[in-house]
Amino acid sequence: MGDTEGKKKKKGEDSEDEEKKLALKVKSYTDVQRFKLEKLMKDPNKPAYIPERRDEKNVNTAPEFNHNIMGSSAGAGSGEFHLYRQMRRKEQNRMRVLGARQDRDELNDAYHAKLEENEKQAEERTAKKRKKRQKKKEKQKNKKKNNDKKEDEKSESSEE
């Protein structure tokens, strides 16, 4: 009995062995995705973690500037140039983000304007076709009424 107890593995040790086997089998990113899916599907009742989208960073909050920086001009010490480059890089990144947001917003507005225009054109086309159908329907009704009147007149004249 002592031998069988020593050979039996605990639950934690078994999962560690499985993880080691999985780590050895990973050859590409598709394997990683497959293993993640298998892990999720082991217990379908367990809720999966879905991260929320991060809020956009507010780049309009201006950082504190050190105005004593001389840049690459004469008289600047060796340390000031690095600070100047850092500030310049941060400002350029900020301007690039603002430009990208502006472009995105313009494209979004243009897209929604185009959607509204398309809906308006579609509504105009359907209204035109609806009017045409109704006109045709009225014509057929009038034609039917006229035919009925003529038939009534013919039947009355033949009776006399």
Side-chain angles (χ1 to χ4, degrees):
M1 276 202 217
D3 293 334
T4 57
E5 289 177 5
K7 290 182 180 178
K8 286 186 179 178
K9 293 182 180 179
K10 293 182 182 177
K11 217 176 198 182
E13 291 175 359
D14 190 30
S15 64
E16 288 176 8
D17 289 340
E18 286 180 22
E19 287 179 18
K20 288 178 184 177
K21 288 179 185 177
L22 292 179
L24 295 175
K25 292 181 184 178
V26 174
K27 294 182 181 175
S28 67
Y29 189 71
T30 54
D31 293 335
V32 173
Q33 288 290 75
R34 183 168 42 90
F35 293 136
K36 285 182 180 180
L37 279 173
E38 287 174 1
K39 184 178 176 184
L40 278 174
M41 297 311 290
K42 278 183 184 177
D43 187 11
N45 295 330
K46 183 180 176 185
Y49 172 71
I50 301 173
E52 291 184 17
R53 190 174 189 166
R54 291 193 301 191
D55 294 334
E56 288 185 352
K57 186 177 179 182
N58 187 6
V59 293
N60 285 329
T61 54
E64 293 182 23
F65 289 103
N66 185 359
H67 297 288
N68 295 330
I69 293 176
M70 295 184 198
S72 59
S73 62
S78 61
E80 280 84 10
F81 181 66
H82 298 295
L83 293 175
Y84 163 75
R85 279 183 36 192
Q86 180 186 19
M87 283 178 40
R88 185 169 161 257
R89 185 176 57 245
K90 282 183 180 180
E91 182 62 17
Q92 286 175 343
N93 287 341
R94 188 180 80 86
M95 294 303 290
R96 188 177 66 243
V97 167
L98 288 176
R101 283 185 188 172
Q102 184 179 7
D103 292 344
R104 181 196 63 197
D105 291 343
E106 287 173 358
L107 288 172
N108 199 14
D109 291 341
Y111 171 74
H112 286 293
K114 183 73 173 172
L115 277 181
E116 289 177 11
E117 183 182 333
N118 287 348
E119 286 177 6
K120 185 179 177 183
Q121 288 177 350
E123 182 61 35
E124 288 173 0
R125 283 193 304 266
T126 53
K128 186 177 177 182
K129 289 180 181 180
R130 184 184 313 119
K131 188 176 179 182
K132 189 176 178 181
R133 282 193 311 270
Q134 288 174 347
K135 193 174 182 181
K136 186 176 179 182
K137 194 175 182 181
E138 286 294 321
K139 238 183 187 180
Q140 286 178 346
K141 275 186 180 181
N142 289 337
K143 194 175 184 182
K144 189 175 182 182
K145 284 182 183 179
N146 289 339
N147 285 341
D148 289 343
K149 286 182 183 179
K150 287 181 183 178
E151 287 177 8
D152 287 342
E153 288 175 7
K154 285 183 182 179
S155 63
E156 286 177 10
S157 62
S158 63
E159 287 177 3
E160 291 176 358

